[in-house]
Amino acid sequence: MPWSTSDRRQRLPRNWRHIVARIRRRDKDRCQVRLADGSQCPNSYGAIDHIRNDDDHRDENLRVICDPHHAEKTGKESAAGRAANRRKQQAKFRRTEQHPGLVG
């Protein structure tokens, strides 16, 4: 998510820096994403990730994630958001009644 168009920074708690430091220590600065074979990603800290895409800043919803995995996750979340917005826009223009030529 580009910070330039996001209000995410304003929604972070005042003690965010302390939370980041605590999560980095807990996760030993190592990406917590599990690979397809079940092993842990060997990459190191890139960002603190909200596991569920919300404003839950509790430790159990936060983890260290490497930049490649963060970019992948963000891309998937962005694509899902765009698709949901498209569906919402399309729903505005759906006919609620049957076309007159099809009324039988």
Side-chain angles (χ1 to χ4, degrees):
M1 173 187 313
W3 285 105
S4 62
T5 60
S6 172
D7 67 343
R8 184 73 176 241
R9 187 166 292 177
Q10 288 81 28
R11 296 188 332 251
L12 293 173
R14 289 179 180 249
N15 65 338
W16 180 245
R17 289 179 202 217
H18 291 66
I19 293 171
V20 168
R22 183 172 64 240
I23 300 304
R24 288 182 70 177
R25 272 192 312 275
R26 181 196 71 192
D27 293 349
K28 298 178 177 75
D29 265 349
R30 187 165 170 209
C31 181
Q32 298 299 298
V33 171
R34 292 286 168 182
L35 303 177
D37 66 2
S39 65
Q40 185 176 351
C41 175
N43 295 336
S44 59
Y45 174 78
I48 297 296
D49 175 47
H50 287 80
I51 297 167
R52 289 178 313 283
N53 192 15
D54 58 16
D55 285 338
D56 179 358
H57 307 298
R58 292 177 296 158
D59 288 7
E60 53 271 11
N61 189 44
L62 301 172
R63 66 181 173 175
V64 167
I65 192 169
C66 65
D67 287 333
H69 280 120
H70 192 241
E72 179 183 354
K73 181 178 183 239
T74 301
K76 287 178 182 177
E77 290 169 349
S78 295
R82 286 190 305 273
N85 286 339
R86 277 193 303 275
R87 285 190 300 274
K88 189 187 297 185
Q89 288 291 47
Q90 290 170 348
K92 289 180 183 179
F93 300 105
R94 285 200 183 117
R95 272 189 187 277
T96 56
E97 58 190 46
Q98 204 172 19
H99 187 280
L102 298 176
V103 175

